[in-house]
Amino acid sequence: MNFTILRYHSLESTNTEAAKQARLGAEEGLCIMARSQTAGRGRHGREWISTEGIGLYFSVVLRPRLAPKFIPLITLMAGVAVFDALKGYLSNPDIKWVNDLLVGEKKIGGILAETADTPSGLAVILGIGVNLKSKNLPLELAGSATSIEAETGKHVSADEFSEHLTGYLSYFYDMLGGENGPRDIVAEWRQRSSYYSGKLVTVVLAGGVISGVTNGLESNGALRVRRGDGSVSTIQAGDVERLRSELHETQAF
Ligand code: BTN
C-alpha cells in the first residue's frame, strides 16, 4: 500500500476528516494526522484526550477487498502493527482484545476502526492514537495510562512514530489481504497478546456480564471465553463495552 500523509495543526477528529476525504473519493492509503484533536473519539463514544504534542493522532483510509465477516480483523491487524512499532522503543507492550495497546495494565494506545459509505464502495477508516508523552495528561488518566516517554525517558515525535507505523501497517495489511490472510493475522495476534488464552477476564456486554478464561479467537477475531461451568461464549468485537483482566496470572478452572 502507498501512503500519502496530510498533516493538520488541529482537527475535530482525524477519523472524521479521513471519512470526509473518503466520501470525496480519497484512495486507499490516504492518512490524516493532526497535532491535536478538539473532539477525539474513542470506542463507545468515549472521549480521546488529544492535547497538542502528547500523542499521535492518525487515521488512514482503507478500501479492503475482504469478505464482510473478516472486516473486524482490521482492528486486530492494526493492533499487531502498532505493537511492532512500539517494540522499537519498549520491550514489553501487550495487546488487550480487541483494540487496546498496553504496557502492564496501563493503556499506551488505542484503535478506532469505523466504516464509511462512499460513492466507490465501503471504506474503513482506521484511527490510531498513541500516547507519546504523559505530560498534561488529566489526573483521572494518570493511574491507567502511560506513554513512550514515561516508559523509556525518550522523546519520540509523532512524525517519527508514524514512519515506523506506516511500514508495519503496510506489511500486515498486505498480509490480511493474502490467501490465508485472516488465519495469518490471528496467528500474528496470538504471538503478541497475553489475552489470547488463559487470561481471567470479565466482559461487560450490553445484555450482561461474562466472566471466564480466554480460550483463543475465532477466524473473524471474535474472542472465546470459557466459563466456570465449561461453556464457551463467543464475544464479537462490536458487542463488548468493556473487558477487564481480573488477575495477571493464568487461572485454570
Ligand atoms: C480507544 O481506545 O477507545 C480508541 C482510541 C482511538 C483514538 C484515535 S486518535 C486518532 C483517531 N481519531 C479519533 O477521533 N480517534 C482515533
Side-chain angles (χ1 to χ4, degrees):
M1 183 175 24
N2 290 323
F3 292 98
T4 303
I5 301 186
L6 299 183
R7 292 182 172 79
Y8 292 78
H9 187 80
S10 181
L11 286 172
E12 252 178 49
S13 155
T14 54
N15 265 32
T16 306
E17 180 62 26
K20 183 174 129 197
Q21 302 274 351
R23 285 189 204 99
L24 292 172
E27 289 182 8
E28 176 158 274
L30 179 79
C31 303
I32 306 290
M33 278 176 66
R35 290 165 61 83
S36 67
Q37 300 183 113
T38 54
R41 293 197 300 277
R43 279 165 58 91
H44 303 293
R46 293 183 198 116
E47 181 189 10
W48 185 259
I49 293 171
S50 308
T51 313
E52 180 169 346
I54 69 162
L56 169 84
Y57 314 117
F58 172 100
S59 301
V60 57
V61 175
L62 302 175
R63 296 191 179 275
R65 290 161 291 278
L66 278 176
K69 72 166 185 168
F70 291 131
I71 294 285
L73 287 174
I74 289 178
T75 299
L76 277 84
M77 177 284 297
V80 169
V82 179
F83 179 102
D84 282 11
L86 287 169
K87 263 290 212 183
Y89 304 99
L90 311 163
S91 58
N92 55 343
D94 194 3
I95 317 176
K96 182 171 106 173
W97 191 86
V98 56
N99 70 323
D100 287 345
L101 277 299
L102 303 182
V103 177
E105 294 295 304
K106 291 188 173 185
K107 185 151 167 169
I108 196 165
I111 294 158
L112 178 67
E114 299 176 307
T115 52
D117 281 318
T118 79
S120 49
L122 185 87
V124 172
I125 308 302
L126 177 61
I128 296 171
V130 173
N131 301 333
L132 302 172
K133 287 187 180 189
S134 301
K135 196 177 136 226
N136 297 335
L137 261 188
L139 263 183
E140 68 265 26
L141 290 185
S144 59
T146 189
S147 66
I148 295 180
E149 192 179 75
E151 295 297 323
T152 65
K154 255 185 89 170
H155 170 65
V156 178
S157 70
D159 281 345
E160 177 184 328
F161 193 84
S162 68
E163 236 181 87
H164 297 289
L165 178 62
T166 48
Y168 288 115
L169 277 176
S170 175
Y171 179 77
F172 289 112
Y173 185 62
D174 284 352
M175 180 182 285
L176 179 58
E179 202 183 331
N180 295 312
R183 209 188 56 195
D184 292 344
I185 288 297
V186 168
E188 296 288 343
W189 196 90
R190 174 184 189 163
Q191 285 172 29
R192 291 166 178 78
S193 174
S194 72
Y195 281 75
Y196 183 83
S197 65
K199 187 81 134 185
L200 186 60
V201 294
T202 293
V203 190
V204 181
L205 304 163
V209 175
I210 292 176
S211 289
V213 176
T214 60
N215 188 237
L217 300 184
E218 296 286 319
S219 62
N220 69 347
L223 180 69
R224 289 193 295 262
V225 175
R226 184 180 295 279
R227 302 196 228 209
D229 65 4
S231 64
V232 175
S233 298
T234 300
I235 297 155
Q236 304 295 334
D239 297 340
V240 63
E241 276 182 13
R242 219 170 254 286
L243 182 146
R244 212 171 47 231
S245 153
E246 295 301 340
L247 281 180
H248 299 268
E249 65 268 24
T250 299
Q251 286 274 309
F253 280 114

